[in-house]
């Protein structure tokens, strides 16, 4: 990567790692007024992808909770995530 290139979401690249427990919010579709749901999951991968002509920091996450049973990995923009607990490496 060239020194002048900027990664969208790079402020979280050093803060979020594989194995971290994270949370993020999603907008509920069935509500008449804007309402948000808090989601929790485990980070399985952090990467920088080319999207729309620029580099974007993304995370693959396995969602946790009763409403995410059987759900596969999802991709979330790294800047939307907040670390709840750091993963432990042995």
């Amino acid at each position: 990567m060239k020194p002048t290139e900027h990664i969208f979401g790079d402020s979280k690249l050093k803060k979020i790692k594989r194995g971290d427990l994270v949370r993020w919010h999603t907008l509920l579709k069935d509500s008449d007024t804007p309402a948000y749901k808090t989601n929790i999951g485990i980070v399985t991968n952090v990467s920088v992808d080319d999207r729309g002509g620029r580099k974007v920091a993304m995370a693959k996450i396995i969602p946790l909770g009763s409403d995410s049973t059987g759900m596969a990995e999802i991709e979330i923009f790294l800047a939307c995530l907040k670390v709840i607990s750091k993963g432990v490496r042995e």
Side-chain angles (χ1 to χ4, degrees):
M1 181 167 39
K2 298 175 191 169
T4 57
E5 284 186 288
H6 178 72
I7 299 170
F8 190 45
D10 66 344
S11 63
K12 296 277 187 151
L13 274 173
K14 293 182 180 177
K15 297 177 182 175
I16 298 176
K17 302 293 182 205
R18 182 175 42 189
D20 290 351
L21 186 65
V22 294
R23 72 177 168 148
W24 69 99
H25 295 93
T26 53
L27 184 62
L28 294 175
K29 296 176 186 176
D30 299 334
S31 179
D32 292 335
T33 59
Y36 296 92
K37 176 184 175 232
T38 300
N39 304 286
I40 297 176
I42 299 172
V43 177
T44 59
N45 189 29
V46 175
S47 63
V48 176
D49 299 336
D50 286 321
R51 300 207 177 186
R54 70 184 302 180
K55 300 205 178 286
V56 179
M58 300 293 290
K60 286 190 178 179
I61 299 172
I62 297 175
L64 302 174
S66 60
D67 59 337
S68 60
T69 304
M71 187 180 274
E73 282 183 327
I74 58 172
E75 278 192 313
I76 303 282
F77 176 48
L78 214 56
C80 292
L81 301 175
K82 171 114 172 111
V83 176
I84 297 173
S85 177
K86 298 298 281 179
V88 178
R89 292 192 180 211
E90 294 183 22

